Structure formats: structure tokens, C-alpha cells
Amino acid sequence: MTHRPAVFAALLGLTRAASAIGDFWIQDDFCARVKGASDDHPVTYVDPVTEKKTTHGTAGGRSACLHHCVTYTATQAIVAGAGARALGIRVHPAAAAAALALSFGTHYAADRRVPGKGLLEKIATKTGKGGFYKLADFGINGAFHLDSAWHHGWETVAALLATTKSTTR
């Protein structure tokens, strides 16, 4: 199975690119701002076109995060699927589904950033990175960087998982 390292590298590159596209181009402003909303920490969203204000709690935050993760994962599926086909890689359907499910679940867990209750904030605090997580000065946003590192790590695991039973044409 000498092709597996090359398949892994290709799939990692494709899913990494798709992740950036899904997070920064596909995700809309509403989801980006509302996905961490909770009843204890509601988010007021101002529509940039209509200037209408709406306030969102836990249900709205969960819905926005779910919508974002669906479009994010769909972007990964499209990019990785098209790229794999172009490169002559056959990914086993069950391995692809497992990799996308892992990406979806870990992305949702990280992106539901409810203040004081979000997974990444809890991990950062417990590992001594709480100050960095809250840093939003000097051109650095600690939460953003820890979020990116979290996603990169899980994308790597997902790409490895996707190579299971892969073949070349």
C-alpha cells in the first residue's frame, strides 16, 4: 500500500483548502456572528442590508452553528471529492463518510463558542492557555488561532481516516 502517504497528503491539502473556503468564503456573516449565542449571552445581529436588528439565544446559536457546519462539511466533500477524482484517487465511501462526520462534529464542538462554556475556552483554560484564548490585541486574536489549530489537527486525523481502503485508478 505504497500509495497511502500520497493519498493522505493529497486529501489533507484538499480538505485544508476546503476548510478555509468553508470558513471564510461560504460561511455568511449571520452564522459567523450568531453561532456562539446562548440565552445567557444573547447576540444581537444587525442585517447589513436592511439594518434590521434581531436578537438570538441558545436555539438561534445552535441553528446558526449547525447551518455553518453543514455548509463547511459540504464544501469539504465537494472539494475533496472533485480533487480526488482529478488526481485518480478512489476514496472508500465509508471512510469518506467517517472523515466528514469527524470533521463536522469537531467543527461544531469548537465553533459553539458560548462565553465561559465553549469547548475551546474550557480546554484553553485547563491547559494554561486561557490568557491567550482571550487575547484580542496587538494584531492577534488568540481564540481564532486556537480554533484554527484545533481544526487543522482534526482535519489531519480526518484525512488519515479517509485513506482507509483508498485505491488509485
Side-chain angles (χ1 to χ4, degrees), residues 117-142:
K117 297 181 181 177
L119 177 65
L120 286 184
E121 185 177 359
K122 286 181 180 180
I123 292 171
T125 300
K126 288 184 180 184
T127 60
K129 296 289 185 187
F132 183 68
Y133 180 88
K134 294 176 183 175
L135 178 64
D137 206 351
F138 308 105
I140 296 175
N141 181 310

Side-chain angles (χ1 to χ4, degrees), residues 26-107:
I26 303 299
Q27 178 177 210
D28 63 18
D29 185 60
F30 177 82
C31 289
R33 293 180 186 275
V34 175
K35 65 187 176 185
S38 71
D39 293 340
D40 293 336
H41 298 279
V43 172
T44 299
Y45 178 75
V46 180
D47 186 295
V49 175
T50 66
E51 297 183 8
K52 179 182 176 186
K53 291 183 180 182
T54 54
T55 302
H56 305 272
T58 301
R62 288 177 179 156
S63 178
C65 193
L66 180 64
H67 178 81
H68 164 56
C69 290
V70 166
T71 60
Y72 170 91
T73 306
T75 302
Q76 285 188 317
I78 292 166
V79 171
R85 183 163 182 81
L87 293 171
I89 299 168
R90 289 185 182 157
V91 178
H92 192 278
L100 290 168
L102 178 68
S103 181
F104 177 90
T106 58
H107 201 88

Side-chain angles (χ1 to χ4, degrees), residues 10-31:
L11 292 176
L12 181 58
L14 290 164
T15 57
R16 177 81 290 275
S19 173
I21 294 166
D23 258 347
F24 304 121
W25 286 100
I26 303 299
Q27 178 177 210
D28 63 18
D29 185 60
F30 177 82
C31 289

Side-chain angles (χ1 to χ4, degrees), residues 1 3-4 6-15 76-101 157-169:
M1 193 172 201
H3 74 283
R4 193 169 182 203
V7 170
F8 167 75
L11 292 176
L12 181 58
L14 290 164
T15 57
Q76 285 188 317
I78 292 166
V79 171
R85 183 163 182 81
L87 293 171
I89 299 168
R90 289 185 182 157
V91 178
H92 192 278
L100 290 168
V157 175
L160 184 60
L161 182 62
T163 66
T164 304
K165 295 186 180 179
S166 66
T167 61
T168 54
R169 291 180 221 196

